[in-house]
Amino acid sequence: GRGAPRRGAAHVEMGPQGKRWPKWKQRRDNSGDDVTEENRAKKLHHGVKCIRKALKKARTFEGRKIQRRATQAAAATMTPTSANKVDAAKLSTQLAAARALDVDALGAHVGEKTLRAVLRGEDAPSAAEALPATNDSETKASSKAVGAAAVKAAGTTAALVVARRVLAAACVREEINALQEKLALVGDRQEWAKGRLAREEARRRAKEDEKAKKEAAREEAQREREEAKRRTTSRGPGDVDAQVDDVDDDVDDDEDEE
């Protein structure tokens, strides 16, 4: 086809996105700079966007579930009892809270909570841990996270109950866990990058040591060859004549003794 590679062309390794790194674009070297905070900010920004998208999906699902339960409660009996009236009113309040829930503020709140947990070496907070209400300060922060509109429409308690259910949705937890893994990985990659110079220096020293050992071995072999050559040269005709003269002297001495 038109886009098919030419026969005999060299195979080109592609990157994770199916594209090669441009030759004109210089790769960034993070080995000398600590860019952990910068990279974490980028990961946090993208992770919060994904969490907000999941929160919108979970909010829609929660609203439909509450609406279905309210319809079933209304059609349960033709003459509703006081208990049914209370239940219907409660569901109506929760439905108003779900529709008014501020997913942007809630996503940013959960993202910051996840970042703090990663910095402490802990897991991402659960739905209840992300929106606590044990004291006034925590209740105020949690109310701000769910949004003033939700608190106004349903009250603080109902708004927090609905928000926790939305946060506990599987799609939201999946994005929160993914953000946690990315934030934790940033620090590991930075430590690896900062140690690259030390690893390169260690490899350079190892190569120099290996080169020095090979050079010493070559010099030793050269000395042995020269020594062997010197011993061979000393065994020439002159050395043989000297040995013959020694033998003749020994023979003359024996004849004199006789």
Side-chain angles (χ1 to χ4, degrees):
R2 183 177 180 182
R6 294 178 299 172
R7 181 174 297 178
H11 176 68
V12 179
E13 293 292 340
M14 295 297 180
Q17 302 298 329
K19 298 180 181 179
R20 291 181 297 176
W21 189 272
K23 294 183 178 179
W24 54 267
K25 188 174 183 180
Q26 185 178 5
R27 292 179 182 270
R28 183 172 183 178
D29 184 9
N30 295 334
S31 58
D33 301 328
D34 189 357
V35 293
T36 306
E37 296 302 325
E38 178 183 351
N39 290 336
R40 276 182 178 155
K42 293 179 180 179
K43 297 297 182 182
L44 178 61
H45 177 73
H46 180 264
V48 168
K49 288 177 61 177
C50 295
I51 291 174
R52 286 171 176 169
K53 184 177 180 180
L55 284 172
K56 290 180 181 179
K57 180 179 179 181
R59 181 183 62 180
T60 302
F61 179 80
E62 183 67 21
R64 291 176 180 175
K65 183 173 67 175
I66 296 174
Q67 182 67 43
R68 183 172 61 253
R69 291 177 59 191
T71 303
Q72 292 173 354
T77 58
M78 298 300 296
T79 56
T81 61
S82 59
N84 289 333
K85 290 181 180 179
V86 172
D87 185 66
K90 180 180 178 181
L91 293 175
S92 177
T93 302
Q94 292 181 358
L95 180 60
R99 290 175 176 175
L101 186 64
D102 189 352
V103 294
D104 292 337
L106 185 57
H109 176 76
V110 175
E112 289 294 334
K113 286 273 189 177
T114 304
L115 175 60
R116 294 174 187 174
V118 170
L119 294 178
R120 293 193 302 266
E122 302 174 356
D123 292 334
S126 62
E129 294 172 347
L131 296 173
T134 56
N135 52 52
D136 293 340
S137 60
E138 290 181 351
T139 303
K140 183 178 180 180
S142 300
S143 300
K144 184 178 179 181
V146 300
V151 174
K152 182 179 180 180
T156 303
T157 303
L160 291 179
V161 169
V162 173
R164 292 190 187 108
R165 288 209 297 257
V166 171
L167 280 178
C171 59
V172 179
R173 299 310 307 175
E174 182 179 356
E175 294 298 339
I176 293 176
N177 293 334
L179 175 60
Q180 175 187 347
E181 294 178 359
K182 292 177 182 178
L183 292 175
L185 187 60
V186 167
D188 297 338
R189 287 180 174 175
Q190 180 61 32
E191 291 299 325
W192 182 90
K194 290 170 64 177
R196 197 186 75 175
L197 294 179
R199 291 192 298 272
E200 290 180 352
E201 180 65 19
R203 286 195 295 267
R204 185 187 64 81
R205 288 196 299 265
K207 288 181 180 179
E208 291 181 353
D209 294 342
E210 185 67 21
K211 184 178 179 181
K213 290 180 181 179
K214 291 182 179 180
E215 185 66 24
R218 283 196 296 267
E219 292 178 356
E220 181 65 22
Q222 181 65 22
R223 285 195 297 269
E224 291 179 356
R225 287 194 297 269
E226 292 177 354
E227 181 65 21
K229 183 177 179 181
R230 186 185 62 79
R231 290 196 301 267
T232 303
T233 304
S234 64
R235 294 175 183 174
D239 188 28
V240 174
D241 294 340
Q243 294 177 4
V244 172
D245 293 340
D246 293 339
V247 173
D248 293 340
D249 293 339
D250 294 338
V251 172
D252 293 339
D253 293 338
D254 294 338
E255 291 178 352
D256 293 339
E257 291 178 358
E258 292 177 356

